[in-house]
Amino acid sequence: MRKNAVEQLSEYLAGQGLRSTTQRDQILQVFISAGRHLSAEELYLRVKKPHPNIGYATVYRTLKLLAEAGLADERRFEDGFTRYEYKASDDHHDHLICTKCGAIIEFENERIEALQQDVARKNHFLVQNHKLELYGLCGDCRKKDR
Amino acid sequence: MRKNAVEQLSEYLAGQGLRSTTQRDQILQVFISAGRHLSAEELYLRVKKPHPNIGYATVYRTLKLLAEAGLADERRFEDGFTRYEYKASDDHHDHLICTKCGAIIEFENERIEALQQDVARKNHFLVQNHKLELYGLCGDCRKKDR
DNA sequence: CTACGTATTGAAAATGGTTTTCAATATCAA
DNA sequence: TTGATATTGAAAACCATTTTCAATACGTAG
């Protein structure tokens, strides 16, 4: 866990004239210690255990806030609902997603990123961010398949 | 328009024990002659003009059917709703999406595809399909921005 | 330290794209 | 032509997410 994630949130809130609350801190704590690619519901369930009085809406609201504050990335895969992942400032990555078991594997590839910039340049396009997802079967599911 | 799209649909339907209907053919016709990346609602509106008695649900149902039949690709961009595009069997492409005006530009890049296969191989992963989207500003919007 | 203005919360209702239900209708094999 | 059943249109249901609203908590001014 990044040393100052809570501080980073506080700073963002202060800068926006928003308030720090125990709920926001609690949700952030659980979010950071939980696995990656959480949906709002998954996070809600995890937060619910230690803090049973936190509401569904607050989890949704806080997740959007974390995305705005730069602490989380918001992603929509093909399964219909939005997932969030804790964002370390320097780590960009893409995903391999198993269509059978739902496993999500992360990867980085600088050469692909460079080629993306080429494509953008040729189209007079300025890339703000991108999304690369490879859907298919993971190693385990390929074995089980036979 | 591909010569035998309607036939291709008929064959698929017959093979599945499903029925050919005038609505399905009409929707397919309009779908093919319309622009790319249509949402269900856009298609519904276009179909409505020549065929005012076709229902919303039928458009949704037919679109899913076309995807199953291999005549359309189903894609979810970040704007929340599903878009479909007519699928020529040999043409795979990815997208540049303008976050300001919503323009969608298509591109293909074999070298990127090859690198994707490399990544998959390293992860013992079998790619069934993929999705690459670059979000940012298109040439026009970059100019207007200043 | 206290009080006040207002941001935030939780619960429930609303939203909006998509799917399902259901009775009426159309398809197609016999 | 008939009968079994797939399909349709309209409306209701779904379901993830957002909004509403009265009660509560935050934090600044005094």
Side-chain angles (χ1 to χ4, degrees):
Chain A
M1 165 176 165
R2 190 190 302 170
K3 290 161 200 157
N4 50 359
V6 179
E7 287 160 39
Q8 196 177 330
L9 177 59
S10 297
E11 280 166 29
Y12 174 78
L13 291 172
Q16 302 289 312
L18 304 175
R19 294 174 181 172
S20 289
T21 66
T22 49
Q23 287 92 330
R24 285 174 177 167
D25 287 347
Q26 291 170 341
I27 292 171
L28 175 55
Q29 293 287 352
V30 176
F31 177 60
I32 291 174
S33 60
R36 284 167 167 280
H37 313 112
L38 264 73
S39 66
E41 185 177 16
E42 287 164 351
L43 181 55
Y44 172 70
L45 292 175
R46 282 175 185 261
V47 170
K48 205 67 178 168
K49 287 182 207 161
H51 312 293
N53 46 340
I54 281 186
Y56 217 93
T58 302
V59 172
Y60 269 94
R61 287 187 281 231
T62 303
L63 240 12
K64 302 216 93 173
L65 205 56
L66 294 180
E68 285 162 27
L71 283 160
D73 263 338
E74 203 177 334
R75 295 181 170 285
R76 278 188 173 81
F77 298 124
E78 297 288 316
D79 66 355
F81 40 116
T82 308
R83 295 176 179 283
Y84 292 82
E85 61 183 297
Y86 183 51
K87 183 179 175 181
S89 43
D90 54 346
D91 128 279
H92 174 78
H93 59 264
D94 295 302
H95 298 92
L96 292 160
I97 301 165
C98 182
T99 52
K100 194 161 184 188
C101 70
I104 300 177
I105 303 165
E106 300 175 355
F107 71 89
E108 301 179 52
N109 187 305
E110 284 184 21
R111 293 176 63 199
I112 291 180
E113 314 251 325
L115 289 172
Q116 287 175 6
Q117 290 302 330
D118 286 352
V119 169
R121 204 174 304 122
K122 279 178 201 148
N123 288 279
H124 314 292
F125 200 90
L126 176 66
V127 178
Q128 294 165 333
N129 63 64
H130 73 265
K131 181 175 180 178
L132 171 56
E133 291 153 24
L134 308 182
Y135 290 87
L137 295 178
C138 69
D140 285 352
C141 288
R142 289 174 74 179
K143 286 177 202 159
K144 288 174 196 154
D145 230 16
R146 306 173 214 144
Chain B
M1 163 175 164
R2 189 191 302 170
K3 292 161 200 159
N4 50 358
V6 177
E7 288 159 39
Q8 195 176 331
L9 177 60
S10 297
E11 282 167 29
Y12 175 78
L13 291 172
Q16 300 291 312
L18 303 175
R19 294 175 181 171
S20 290
T21 67
T22 49
Q23 288 92 331
R24 285 176 177 166
D25 286 347
Q26 290 170 343
I27 292 172
L28 175 56
Q29 293 288 352
V30 175
F31 177 60
I32 291 174
S33 60
R36 284 169 167 280
H37 311 113
L38 263 74
S39 65
E41 185 177 16
E42 287 163 352
L43 181 55
Y44 172 69
L45 292 175
R46 282 175 185 260
V47 170
K48 204 68 177 168
K49 287 182 206 160
H51 311 293
N53 45 340
I54 280 187
Y56 217 94
T58 303
V59 172
Y60 270 94
R61 287 187 280 231
T62 302
L63 240 13
K64 303 215 94 175
L65 206 56
L66 294 180
E68 285 163 27
L71 283 161
D73 263 337
E74 203 177 333
R75 310 187 97 89
R76 280 187 171 81
F77 299 125
E78 298 287 316
D79 66 355
F81 42 118
T82 308
R83 294 177 178 284
Y84 292 83
E85 61 182 297
Y86 183 52
K87 183 178 173 183
S89 43
D90 56 345
D91 127 280
H92 176 77
H93 59 263
D94 294 303
H95 298 93
L96 291 159
I97 300 165
C98 182
T99 52
K100 196 162 184 188
C101 70
I104 301 178
I105 303 165
E106 300 176 355
F107 71 89
E108 300 180 53
N109 188 305
E110 284 183 22
R111 293 176 63 200
I112 291 180
E113 313 252 326
L115 288 170
Q116 288 175 5
Q117 290 302 330
D118 285 352
V119 169
R121 205 173 304 121
K122 279 179 200 146
N123 288 278
H124 313 292
F125 199 90
L126 175 66
V127 178
Q128 293 166 334
N129 64 64
H130 73 265
K131 183 174 179 179
L132 171 56
E133 291 154 24
L134 307 182
Y135 290 86
L137 295 177
C138 68
D140 287 351
C141 288
R142 289 174 74 180
K143 286 177 200 157
K144 287 176 196 154
D145 230 16
R146 303 172 216 144

